[in-house]
Amino acid sequence: MARTLGATVRSAVHLGKELTTSSPSRFAIVVFSALILLFTALLSLPIASADRTVTPIADALFTAVSTICVTGLSTVDMAAHWSPFGHALIYIGVNIGGLGVLTLASVMGLVISKRLGLRAKLIAAGDTNPMRAHGGPVNESQTVRLGEVGQLLRTVAISALVIEAVLAALLYPALVMAGADPLTALWEAPFYSAMAFTNTGFSPNAGGLVPFADDYLVLTLLMIGVFLGSIGFPVIYTLSRHLWHVKKWSLHSKLTLITTILLFFVGAAVFLLLEYDNPRTFGSMDAGDTTFQAFFLSAMTRSGGFSVIDQADLNGSSLLASSMLMFVGGGSASTAGGIKVTTLAVLALAVWSEAKGRSSVEAFGRRIPSDVQRVALSVVAWGATIVAVSTIAITQITKESVINVLFDVISAFGTVGLSTGVTASLPDPASYIMAATIFMGRVGTVTLAAAVAATSRTQLYSLPVERPIVG
């Protein structure tokens, strides 16, 4: 009996070591899953709920997934259901999820040992750059080189702490001037700061941001926090080193910033065009309010999740436009979700190059290799498949309007947190499907694909070529 138990323990330890060293992507999935289970158990405790009762497992699990995956969707009233202990758990969870479990673990190891070993660098590089999740040689044009991982992790830890601290310090007087109780604002300021930087969107007070709907200072600070969290740590790392030397920026940084800013203005223009005469949204506002709220809505649909307008009041055309923005999401290796803006940029450049008859995809004097283009196509295909299957399943279960279900499903996949009201009324089977969609959106389609294909063997032969008709 003792020998059997010892052999089982040794096998488990060996499996754990093999998992962490052979496939960082699978290790990421395991760690995220373990954290979700841990927070599900903690949120189920009576002390975590305001009425000191046990939270149903479906609601606790969904909240844990939404917290660790920094999504912001909820099946319960976040302000009324959870106790101060529950809100503290959520605050801790979004910060862990926002930084990335592997990055956080590597930062802790760096602080303890003062240096990173090769294995830790490989794991951290896989988290900060999804392309490194694949086996084989790493192209020299990768966003973060292996030798820079230690510096990147310092940037991750310092930037997260500094940005959230500065944002909280600025939010506190803004909340007080907006009418919040000074003592309550001591808690709400860091909470809102974390929710903005991690692109989560949870609100600790009843009514969410509605009490601050006309306070441009509070809303602007939240937009700044969402923007900084959504551009990604590699971009922050580049800006911290070469802020005023644009020529030294990496191609990834240029594509991320340009596409992010472009979508921000295009999204605002689209919402202005589609909602200016809607009496339930912008139609009752003056020109200044309408313009500001359009920009705020554009920023939040990219992954922020905060809202001062009921999404159910938007026109169907606006819901579709929002869904497209949410599907794209933010920058790679950021707190945002979606297929990422660089994926969209690479595909757009590929289409443009094809239209111009060019044999290669180029941008800013650099050539984008074909393997990056293939990964971009794979990300979009996986993402569209996940969204389609989840939408069909949840629509069949709930019998809700397909546009509303599609909106919430894409919000879940993009870890945005906006909702038309469908998520709050989901039955348990549908909430589990939505939670799985959130998980796949946060872990990343590339990571999931790499985890599945980690054991695939290299093909040492080539088949004859034959060209099917396309288009």
Side-chain angles (χ1 to χ4, degrees):
M1 184 69 178
R3 290 181 179 178
T4 303
L5 181 60
T8 303
V9 172
R10 286 192 295 272
S11 298
V13 172
H14 176 74
L15 179 62
K17 289 182 178 180
E18 181 68 20
L19 182 65
T20 58
T21 55
S22 64
S23 177
S25 55
R26 287 185 180 178
F27 184 52
I29 294 175
V30 170
V31 174
F32 264 92
S33 301
L35 272 171
I36 287 170
L37 293 176
L38 173 62
F39 273 77
T40 299
L42 293 174
L43 290 170
S44 299
L45 298 175
I47 192 176
S49 63
D51 58 3
R52 295 298 188 270
T53 59
V54 175
T55 300
I57 186 64
D59 294 329
L61 175 62
F62 191 94
T63 304
V65 172
S66 189
T67 297
I68 297 299
C69 298
V70 292
T71 302
L73 287 173
S74 179
T75 55
V76 298
D77 187 330
M78 293 299 294
H81 181 83
W82 302 109
S83 66
F85 176 78
H87 280 114
L89 285 175
I90 292 168
Y91 175 81
I92 295 171
V94 298
N95 278 290
I96 293 174
L99 288 176
V101 175
L102 300 183
T103 301
L104 183 65
S106 298
V107 170
M108 293 175 65
L110 180 63
V111 171
I112 294 172
S113 65
K114 305 298 182 183
R115 64 183 179 86
L116 282 176
L118 178 60
R119 183 182 303 174
K121 286 185 177 182
L122 286 171
I123 293 176
D127 188 50
T128 55
N129 189 354
M131 287 290 291
R132 290 189 181 275
H134 296 272
V138 179
N139 192 288
E140 63 180 1
S141 61
Q142 292 291 0
T143 301
V144 182
R145 294 179 176 84
L146 195 60
E148 297 176 330
V149 171
Q151 298 176 48
L152 174 66
L153 292 178
R154 292 187 184 91
T155 303
V156 170
I158 294 173
S159 63
L161 291 173
V162 170
I163 292 173
E164 286 196 21
V166 171
L167 194 59
L170 294 174
L171 275 171
Y172 177 77
L175 292 173
V176 172
M177 288 188 293
D181 178 74
L183 290 177
T184 304
L186 287 174
W187 159 245
E188 290 185 352
F191 192 93
Y192 272 122
S193 174
M195 296 303 152
F197 182 68
T198 61
N199 280 223
T200 305
F202 283 140
S203 177
N205 58 288
L209 286 184
V210 174
F212 312 110
D214 300 323
D215 195 304
Y216 287 177
L217 178 57
V218 172
L219 298 184
T220 300
L221 289 173
L222 292 178
M223 277 198 292
I224 292 173
V226 168
F227 173 78
L228 293 175
S230 67
I231 59 176
F233 293 116
V235 176
I236 295 175
Y237 174 64
T238 297
L239 294 179
S240 68
R241 299 181 65 190
H242 311 295
L243 179 59
W244 306 112
H245 300 86
V246 179
K247 291 184 178 180
K248 294 185 178 181
W249 291 4
S250 65
L251 177 60
H252 169 80
S253 299
K254 293 176 182 177
L255 292 178
T256 297
L257 291 173
I258 290 174
T259 310
T260 296
I261 294 172
L262 180 63
L263 289 178
F264 176 61
F265 282 96
V266 170
V270 168
F271 289 129
L272 276 172
L273 179 65
L274 299 179
E275 292 293 322
Y276 77 96
D277 61 347
N278 185 348
R280 297 172 297 175
T281 56
F282 297 166
S284 58
M285 302 178 185
D286 58 31
D289 287 337
T290 298
T291 302
F292 181 86
Q293 294 297 344
F295 277 105
F296 186 80
L297 182 58
S298 178
M300 294 306 124
T301 51
R302 298 290 315 294
S303 194
F306 290 110
S307 176
V308 295
I309 295 174
D310 190 341
Q311 302 300 299
D313 290 337
L314 293 172
N315 292 323
S317 55
S318 297
L319 288 177
L320 185 58
S322 298
S323 298
M324 295 170 68
L325 289 172
M326 292 190 299
F327 186 72
V328 174
S332 299
S334 73
T335 57
I339 62 170
K340 311 302 185 191
V341 293
T342 43
T343 302
L344 177 65
V346 167
L347 292 179
L349 289 169
V351 171
W352 177 254
S353 296
E354 187 66 26
K356 299 290 287 186
R358 296 172 180 170
S359 58
S360 62
V361 179
E362 302 171 354
F364 299 103
R366 294 291 187 269
R367 180 176 59 85
I368 301 176
S370 59
D371 61 331
V372 175
Q373 301 170 47
R374 289 196 299 270
V375 170
L377 286 172
S378 300
V379 167
V380 174
W382 273 100
T385 302
I386 292 168
V387 168
V389 172
S390 298
T391 301
I392 292 171
I394 294 175
T395 302
Q396 180 64 24
I397 294 172
T398 63
K399 309 301 181 184
E400 293 277 356
S401 167
V402 68
I403 184 62
N404 290 341
V405 174
L406 177 65
F407 182 93
D408 278 39
V409 167
I410 294 180
S411 178
F413 171 78
T415 65
V416 179
L418 297 175
S419 175
T420 58
V422 170
T423 301
S425 60
L426 288 177
D428 289 354
S431 71
Y432 293 139
I433 296 174
M434 190 74 83
T437 304
I438 292 172
F439 181 80
M440 288 185 284
R442 175 52 182 162
V443 171
T445 50
V446 172
T447 302
L448 286 172
V452 172
T455 57
S456 62
R457 297 179 180 177
T458 302
Q459 186 170 301
L460 301 178
Y461 59 90
S462 178
L463 296 174
V465 175
E466 183 172 349
R467 297 180 179 274
I469 300 174
V470 176

